[in-house]
Amino acid sequence: MTPPSAPQNAPGQQPLNRSRRRLLLGAAGAGAAVTALALTAPVRSLAQQVQEFIAGPPVPDVAPLQLSPHVWTIQARDGFPTPENLGLFANVLFVVTSAGVVVLDSGSSLQIGEMAIRMIRRVTPQPVVAVFNSHYHGDHWLGNHAFVNAFGRELPIYALQGSKDRIVGVEGNLWRNLMERWTNQATAGTQVVPPNRVVQHGQRLRFGQVELVMHHYGVAHTPYDLSIEVRPDRLTYLGDVAMENRIANMDDGSFAGTLEYFEKISLAAGEQLWVPGHGRASRTLLRDYGEFFRGIWEPSLQAVKDGHGVEVARANVLKDPRVARHASTMLGFESNIGRYISLAFLEAEQLAF
Ligand SMILES: [Zn+2]
């Protein structure tokens, strides 16, 4: 009787083992180099099979939408990652220039990045020559993996220094794991590919006839939010500084800082088509989202100034018309608003004391 611990060959394994043994036996006269060469082939194909087994499925195509003469978006419909949407909930933008394609946020997984490359191919045969990552949350840069696979390890990937450091540090793997968990492993196979170039506020980069202007105004959604103005299109990609269809996750951010960011970028860039990382672009996005944000921030600050507790802040925010007006169009409003009021209240307390 075979003991349970004895190795059992799966049906498909037998020929591989037999051919390996044959290679080993025949190697005596052929030399060690040949043996090594012959052995790597089945080993590599096995590794490839394992990789294919653990990688999530391809993401269905989402037709790109043209926003301006040079800029296209692959618009994510959902507000949050789920097993059903395979993690597709953040927009991917691409700028088509005579010097190649520039990608603004690369998607939330290897598979989403691969889908984005297929969509870019529908618009232009030009290669991707640069990628920008707006901040260190993984829904905006985990797709880097697909772009270096397709366009090489030397492909420039730009971010602010702080975002690059966070991705190289714990945030990189943390976000890779979070995306896998939220999508029930649909993003499996995605590797952390951090930015390899650093940009600063005020910097301008030219790609053919297009100029990209870097904007950064302190803590907003995170301490390192890069917004990218595309000239001459009068279009600015905001990352997660503003959103259209949901409330930004404010765990690493600042309500007061976000409102200040809006004022400064409006002043610097003027009238723009504002494009968020989540939701649809509009010319009134900063005004609309700013109004909603002031509806959360100002009653929270007032409650702290008046010596009230968070419950008073909560009640006043919920009846604020600026919040009520947007509540029905914000995905996840009911489940998240309490948390955001708590965060606003905490920030107001820190400001007051
Ligand atoms: Zn995001």
Side-chain angles (χ1 to χ4, degrees), residues 14-30:
Q14 198 58 41
L16 182 73
N17 288 349
R18 215 179 273 146
S19 70
R20 258 190 210 170
R21 193 175 306 126
R22 218 176 15 245
L23 283 166
L24 283 167
L25 290 172

Side-chain angles (χ1 to χ4, degrees), residues 138-150:
D139 48 325
H140 301 269
W141 59 262
L142 280 162
N144 290 355
H145 185 194
F147 288 91
V148 299
N149 278 355

Side-chain angles (χ1 to χ4, degrees), residues 247-264:
I247 317 174
N249 167 353
M250 293 301 288
D251 290 21
D252 307 333
S254 160
F255 285 86
T258 296
L259 292 167
E260 200 180 312
Y261 196 114
F262 288 3
E263 275 174 34
K264 288 181 173 167

Side-chain angles (χ1 to χ4, degrees), residues 132-209:
F132 287 79
N133 297 151
S134 64
H135 61 295
Y136 58 81
H137 291 159
D139 48 325
H140 301 269
W141 59 262
L142 280 162
N144 290 355
H145 185 194
F147 288 91
V148 299
N149 278 355
F151 303 99
R153 284 269 150 191
E154 298 307 310
L155 177 70
I157 304 176
Y158 298 92
L160 293 173
Q161 182 73 55
S163 294
K164 179 174 182 282
D165 292 346
R166 294 281 189 109
I167 293 169
V168 170
V170 290
E171 295 280 346
N173 268 310
L174 174 73
W175 272 93
R176 193 176 60 84
N177 293 333
L178 283 172
M179 283 304 304
E180 284 188 11
R181 205 167 73 201
W182 291 330
T183 62
N184 194 21
Q185 316 300 316
T187 63
T190 304
Q191 289 170 17
V192 173
V193 178
N196 52 20
R197 301 275 202 289
V198 168
V199 286
Q200 291 176 337
H201 168 72
Q203 204 173 328
R204 295 169 183 205
L205 289 94
R206 182 161 280 282
F207 297 90
Q209 69 280 48

Side-chain angles (χ1 to χ4, degrees), residues 77 89 97 138 166 201 218 232 278 308 326 345:
R77 200 188 42 188
F89 75 111
T97 82
R166 294 281 189 109
H201 168 72
H278 302 270
H308 294 308
H326 294 277
F345 188 80

Side-chain angles (χ1 to χ4, degrees), residues 10-61:
Q13 273 182 323
Q14 198 58 41
L16 182 73
N17 288 349
R18 215 179 273 146
S19 70
R20 258 190 210 170
R21 193 175 306 126
R22 218 176 15 245
L23 283 166
L24 283 167
L25 290 172
V34 176
T35 316
L37 201 71
L39 271 175
T40 51
V43 169
R44 197 191 298 124
S45 83
L46 198 66
Q48 220 161 43
Q49 283 169 29
V50 170
Q51 167 68 22
E52 277 160 22
F53 178 72
I54 59 158
V59 170
D61 293 354

